[in-house]
Amino acid sequence: MKLSVSNSRGKDAADRDWFIPEDGRKQLTQLFAKLPNPVVLDVFTDGDEKNAFNGYTRRFAEDISLLVDKISMHHHALDSEEAKRRDVTLSPTLFVGTGEADPALDYRIRFTGAPLGEEGRALVESIFLVSLRQSGLTETSRRILSELKEPRKPRVFSSPGCPYCPGQFMHAAKCAIERPGLVEAECVNSDEFPDLSKKYGVGSVPHTQYDDAHKAIGLMPEERFVLELVTLKSADDLMREHGMEPGHEGHDHAHGAHGMDPEGLDVVETDMVVLGAGPAGLSAAIYGERSGMKTVVLDKSVVGGQVTVTPVVENYPGFTDIAGLKLVEVLSAHARQYATVREGETVHEVKIGKFIEVYTNRAVYLCKALVFATGAQWRKLDAPGEGRFYGRGVSYCASCDGFMYRGKRVAMIGGGNSALTDALHLKNLGADVTIIHRRDSFRAEKALQDSLEREGIAVIWDTVVEEILGDTVAPVREGDGGDGKDAAPGTAPAEPDTGVVRGIRVRNVKTDAVSELPFDGVFVAIGHIPNSEQAAELGVVLEKDGSIKVDRHMRTNIPRIYAAGDVTGGVRQIVTAVGSGATAALAAFEDTQNPYWKKKGD
C-alpha cells in the first residue's frame, strides 16, 4: 500500500489540523522556499495505533510536504513490497531521497524512529542537501571517501535531547549523498528502540555503529568520521601507523601547522578570530562586528558549549526559565546576523607574527586579534572503571543520555549547580536519582536545593566514589571530539575493555566505611577543567587551576591575545561569560586603534 500526499497548499492545507506549530511552519516555509530540486519523503509504519511515534512521523512528514511544492510524501505499510525492497522492519521509518527509480542513483538516508527533538534538525538539513544534490563534504573528506569500494551502512544512535547527535548523523548523511551507490546512513532514535540499542551496547549518544565490530562514541570531526567509515579502523591507530599525532587528520599537505603545508587551504583575512562558540564567543562576535571588526567564530564541535546540554536555565536575566538549547538558538541567531560562525572546525596551531595565523583543518585565518573563548570540559572522577564503562553507564551529559535511564536507578555525582540541575532533569524523565556528594552541604544555588527537596531526591552525604562496578563485555572504543582527547559531550580515559554499569563502590570520608550501591547508570558533574592548552603553547600565562590569566579588559600577557568565559575561571555563569566576551571584543577593537604595547612615536 502506498499513499501519496498532495502538495496542494489550498483549502485542504488551510483547514488542516497541523502537527507543526504555526511559527515552525512559517520558518520551515521560508527555509524550503528556494529548494532547487524535488525531495521525496517515504514513511513506513506498521499500522499499530498504540504506537504514537507512527502518527508523529507520518503527520510531521505530511506537514512538511504541504509547505512547498518541491517536497512530496508517500506512506507505505511495513508489510509492503516497497518495505521489503528497502529492508525496512522497524516502525516508524522515514527515508529522505530523490525519488529516482534506480536505487543506485537515489540517496539512502534513513530515520528509524520519529525524527523529533534534535533529530528534527538533521531531517531538515538532510532535505536541504538532497535537494541541492550536493554532499557538502570538505575536499579532504571527499578524497578519502573516493577510496571506498565496499558498501557501508553507518548507524548513528541518538536521542531527542542530544545536541551533538545531529552533527554526527549528518556526517553519515553527507557520505550517503556523496556515494549513493555504496553508503546508506541511518539515524536510530535509541529511546524508541531499546532492544536494538541494547544489542549494540548503546549507553551514551551519539553512538556510531559502522559495522558489527567497529563503533565509536561521541561527536567526531567530519574527516575523522569519513576515514573510519572507509577503513573500519580507529583513526588514532591509523595516524600512529603513519607517524602522526592523533587529532591532526584534517590537514591536506606536508608542512606548516604541525607539519602541514598551508598551500591549498583557503586563506581568510579577517580582523578578529574567536575560538569557541559558547555564550562568551558569540557575545565577542556581536560586539566585535558592531565595533567594525570583521569577525570569524570557530568551534570544533557545535554552537553553544555547555549551555547546549543544560536542561533549564533559570538565572539568565530576561528569561524566567528557558531551555539551554533554546537560549543557544537565540544567542546564535543574533551572532550570525553579524559574524561568520563555523562549526566542526578544529584549530591545530596558532602562530604570532605581523598577523596572528590560525591554522585549522579547513583554512588558514590571518587576523589582528584572537579571543580564546574555548570554555572548559567536564572534570573526570579518575575512579577505576570510569573509562571502561563510559558509554555503558557512565555519562557526563544528562540531556544527551537521560532518556535511556527512565525507570532505572542512577547516581548523580556532584553538589554544584550542574549536578543538581541534571538530577532534577533526570527525575523529570522518570529516573530514580540519588545524589552522591563528598561534602555535608551543597554549593549549588538555594533555589536548586529547594527544588531538590520538593522532588524528594535522595542524597548521600560525605561520600566519594572509589570505583565504578559492572559486568565486562565486548570492547568498545571512544570517539574523539577533535583534539585527540575528548569526545563531545565528554569522555573518560580509555581503558582496555568495557562493560555495563551495575553499581559503585563508595567510601564515607568521615568514617572510612566502604559499601557497594546498585545503580544502572552514573552521571558525573564535579566541575570543569579549562581548555587552555593552546593558549599555554603560545606562552599565555595561566592561573594555578589552569585557567587563562586576564586583566579586567580580558587581555592576556601577550598583546592581541584575549580570553573570555569559562576558560578564564572565576564565576562560571552564562551571564558572566556574555559580559566577558563583550569586554574582550571591545578591548580588541580599542587596542587595534591604539596599540598599548607600542611606545609613543613608534
Side-chain angles (χ1 to χ4, degrees):
M1 179 186 74
K2 179 174 80 173
L3 171 65
S4 297
V5 176
S6 169
N7 293 98
S8 169
R9 301 179 65 205
K11 185 177 184 300
D12 290 343
D15 296 339
R16 176 179 173 79
D17 179 18
W18 292 90
F19 179 70
I20 303 175
E22 183 177 0
D23 288 346
R25 297 199 304 273
K26 289 180 179 179
Q27 293 177 11
L28 289 175
T29 300
Q30 292 175 352
L31 286 172
F32 293 148
K34 296 183 180 180
L35 292 179
N37 296 297
V39 178
V40 177
L41 306 180
D42 285 288
V43 176
F44 297 80
T45 61
D46 59 8
D48 182 359
E49 295 181 358
K50 295 181 180 180
N51 185 348
F53 296 114
N54 285 340
Y56 294 160
T57 304
R58 182 172 173 177
R59 292 187 63 195
F60 189 32
E62 287 177 350
D63 280 8
I64 290 175
S65 72
L66 290 171
L67 296 178
V68 294
D69 292 337
K70 283 292 194 302
I71 303 175
S72 60
M73 176 265 190
H74 305 305
H75 176 244
H76 311 267
L78 200 64
D79 59 359
S80 65
E81 289 300 318
E82 184 67 9
K84 293 178 182 177
R85 184 180 76 83
R86 297 203 187 201
D87 191 26
V88 179
T89 59
L90 298 175
S91 177
T93 294
L94 183 154
F95 280 86
V96 183
T98 64
E100 292 281 351
D102 185 349
L105 299 177
D106 196 7
Y107 303 136
R108 292 178 288 177
I109 299 174
R110 177 192 304 228
F111 289 83
T112 301
L116 302 176
E118 289 301 291
E119 292 146 339
R121 288 170 45 200
L123 174 60
V124 170
E125 188 171 351
S126 296
I127 290 172
F128 263 106
L129 293 179
V130 168
S131 181
L132 289 170
R133 310 296 197 253
Q134 296 177 3
S135 69
L137 289 173
T138 65
E139 184 60 35
T140 300
S141 296
R142 292 176 63 194
R143 189 175 67 246
I144 296 170
L145 194 57
S146 68
E147 301 294 325
L148 183 63
K149 307 299 181 185
E150 300 173 345
R152 294 284 189 269
K153 293 185 178 182
R155 174 179 277 165
V156 179
F157 288 86
S158 66
S159 74
C162 171
Y164 303 99
C165 293
Q168 185 73 352
F169 173 68
M170 287 314 301
H171 295 335
K174 290 177 180 180
C175 291
I177 294 173
E178 184 70 23
R179 299 298 302 274
L182 288 178
V183 181
E184 176 175 330
E186 182 180 8
C187 179
V188 180
N189 187 317
S190 59
D191 188 47
E192 291 180 43
F193 301 100
D195 290 342
L196 186 60
S197 299
K198 183 178 181 180
K199 174 182 177 181
Y200 289 105
V202 178
S204 185
V205 292
H207 173 120
T208 304
Q209 198 75 37
Y210 289 99
D211 64 4
D212 287 341
H214 187 59
K215 62 186 75 174
I217 301 170
L219 174 62
M220 306 163 75
E222 177 191 292
E223 293 85 356
R224 182 189 182 100
F225 179 95
V226 177
L227 182 63
E228 298 206 9
L229 177 71
V230 172
T231 64
L232 297 180
K233 293 181 180 180
S234 162
D236 286 352
D237 293 342
L238 287 169
M239 285 184 287
R240 291 189 182 102
E241 289 176 9
H242 292 84
M244 297 173 61
E245 285 299 316
H248 303 148
E249 65 273 17
H251 285 299
D252 281 327
H253 301 285
H255 302 287
H258 285 292
M260 302 296 176
D261 187 355
E263 182 182 352
L265 294 176
D266 291 337
V267 177
V268 180
E269 294 186 17
T270 189
D271 294 318
M272 183 168 71
V273 170
V274 179
L275 305 185
L282 296 174
S283 176
I286 294 169
Y287 276 81
E289 286 276 357
R290 288 180 61 87
S291 297
M293 298 186 74
K294 186 177 179 181
T295 303
V296 175
V297 182
L298 305 175
D299 199 299
K300 71 178 184 180
S301 184
V302 295
V303 167
Q306 301 281 351
V307 185
T308 307
V309 293
T310 302
V312 180
V313 177
E314 297 181 319
N315 57 2
Y316 190 79
F319 297 95
T320 303
D321 63 80
I322 184 172
L325 187 59
K326 181 62 177 178
L327 181 57
V328 166
E329 291 174 353
V330 173
L331 293 172
S332 176
H334 192 180
R336 290 180 193 273
Q337 291 181 6
Y338 296 99
T340 299
V341 180
R342 297 185 173 177
E343 301 172 81
E345 192 154 351
T346 304
V347 174
H348 294 308
E349 187 174 27
V350 177
K351 296 181 179 180
I352 300 177
K354 180 179 180 181
F355 292 97
I356 299 173
E357 303 173 13
V358 180
Y359 294 81
T360 77
N361 54 322
R362 294 170 189 167
V364 180
Y365 298 87
L366 307 180
C367 59
K368 302 174 184 176
L370 178 68
V371 179
F372 280 95
T374 45
Q377 59 184 285
W378 282 276
R379 185 180 297 277
K380 312 301 187 296
L381 283 170
D382 289 333
E386 183 178 16
R388 184 165 65 252
F389 297 117
Y390 171 73
R392 296 278 188 151
V394 173
S395 176
Y396 305 87
C397 180
S399 293
C400 300
D401 303 330
F403 277 95
M404 287 176 281
Y405 293 90
R406 292 182 300 172
K408 297 183 179 181
R409 299 165 300 180
V410 298
M412 171 57 67
I413 315 300
N417 287 346
S418 295
L420 268 63
T421 298
D422 286 353
L424 289 165
H425 178 64
L426 290 166
K427 175 73 172 181
N428 184 59
L429 291 176
D432 180 5
V433 188
T434 299
I435 293 180
I436 312 291
H437 188 39
R438 61 193 176 99
R439 296 190 174 97
D440 57 7
S441 62
F442 288 127
R443 294 170 289 117
E445 296 172 355
K446 186 177 185 301
L448 288 172
Q449 296 185 46
D450 292 343
S451 296
L452 199 75
E453 186 173 351
R454 283 196 301 270
E455 292 296 327
I457 295 176
V459 182
I460 299 178
W461 303 101
D462 303 316
T463 300
V464 295
V465 177
E466 296 279 279
E467 184 177 359
I468 297 173
L469 309 172
D471 300 331
T472 300
V473 295
V476 67
R477 190 189 54 74
E478 297 170 10
D480 189 292
D483 59 3
K485 297 178 181 178
D486 294 285
T491 68
E495 295 184 24
D497 55 352
T498 181
V500 179
V501 167
R502 296 301 181 200
I504 56 177
R505 181 176 291 115
V506 298
R507 177 176 59 84
N508 185 289
V509 297
K510 291 184 176 179
T511 67
D512 274 339
V514 176
S515 59
E516 293 185 4
L517 305 174
F519 289 105
D520 302 302
V522 177
F523 287 81
V524 181
I526 57 172
H528 299 86
I529 299 174
N531 293 319
S532 57
E533 295 91 342
Q534 286 185 322
E537 290 176 0
L538 292 177
V540 171
V541 174
L542 305 182
E543 302 283 4
K544 290 182 179 180
D545 65 353
S547 59
I548 296 177
K549 185 176 183 179
V550 293
D551 64 15
R552 65 189 183 94
H553 300 289
M554 312 315 292
R555 298 182 179 114
T556 70
N557 61 301
I558 299 179
R560 301 181 291 168
I561 306 293
Y562 308 82
D566 286 0
V567 75
T568 63
V571 180
R572 290 193 169 104
Q573 293 292 307
I574 302 170
V575 66
T576 55
V578 168
S580 64
T583 300
L586 293 173
F589 170 72
E590 174 64 27
D591 293 347
T592 57
Q593 303 302 307
N594 302 290
Y596 66 87
W597 58 90
K598 290 187 177 181
K599 296 179 181 179
K600 291 182 178 181
D602 285 359

